[in-house]
Amino acid sequence: MTARDTGSRETAAVRVRAEGEVDEDVLAYVRTKIDAVVNRAGLPAVTGEVRIAKAAAHHAEHPWSAVADLRVGSTVVVVHAQDATSQEVTDRLQDRLRRQVERAVHEGNAGRRPVTPPWRGGHAGEGSAGGDAGPLDAHSA
């Protein structure tokens, strides 16, 4: 099974590829849905690839599958979906991709880093929790 490259877009470096018997109308629908997720204002640079495939076996319960393998800023986002029709699998992929991209953007903004506990020489205000923790009680039971 060979993959067909359908080209890349100017706004973001996300390629949409088809594997198997996938027509151009399905690819256009996939591009529209993926563009709605990755071309939003305030989103860091998005690169990667989306693949949609139709199983050759006609008796498969969910013959359509799709995979999005994207890099959103410095975070890798991988999303899988399977369903009975091309439209359902595309809609499912879009929903999952939107949630994962939102999570990647918000976690990237949190500035998380490992926190050294105070008993190992760390400071109370260190890490993503900020200085919200109160002083340690040395007399706890």
Side-chain angles (χ1 to χ4, degrees):
M1 186 181 331
T2 61
R4 210 174 30 187
D5 186 7
T6 61
S8 60
R9 302 183 340 264
E10 295 291 326
T11 56
V14 176
R15 291 189 316 175
V16 177
R17 293 176 29 169
E19 297 176 1
E21 300 293 324
V22 180
D23 62 2
E24 292 299 321
D25 293 336
V26 171
L27 291 174
Y29 186 72
V30 172
R31 275 191 212 103
T32 301
K33 292 295 190 167
I34 299 304
D35 284 347
V37 175
V38 301
N39 287 336
R40 145 182 108 75
L43 200 63
V46 179
T47 60
E49 178 176 88
V50 175
R51 294 180 306 277
I52 185 165
K54 183 177 181 184
H58 297 285
H59 63 277
E61 185 176 340
H62 298 290
W64 287 93
S65 63
V67 177
D69 186 2
L70 304 178
R71 180 175 287 278
V72 180
S74 62
T75 305
V76 175
V77 176
V78 179
V79 179
H80 300 265
Q82 287 185 328
D83 224 313
T85 68
S86 63
Q87 187 171 0
E88 289 172 346
V89 77
T90 302
D91 292 344
R92 185 179 306 268
L93 184 76
Q94 181 192 26
D95 291 342
R96 291 178 179 176
L97 188 59
R98 180 176 286 126
R99 283 193 304 265
Q100 293 296 327
V101 166
E102 288 296 322
R103 183 179 296 158
V105 169
H106 291 300
E107 285 179 358
N109 290 340
R112 297 182 344 167
R113 62 177 191 233
V115 178
T116 307
W119 58 88
R120 290 196 178 157
H123 301 290
E126 185 178 347
S128 61
D132 296 340
L136 293 176
D137 185 8
H139 300 289
S140 62

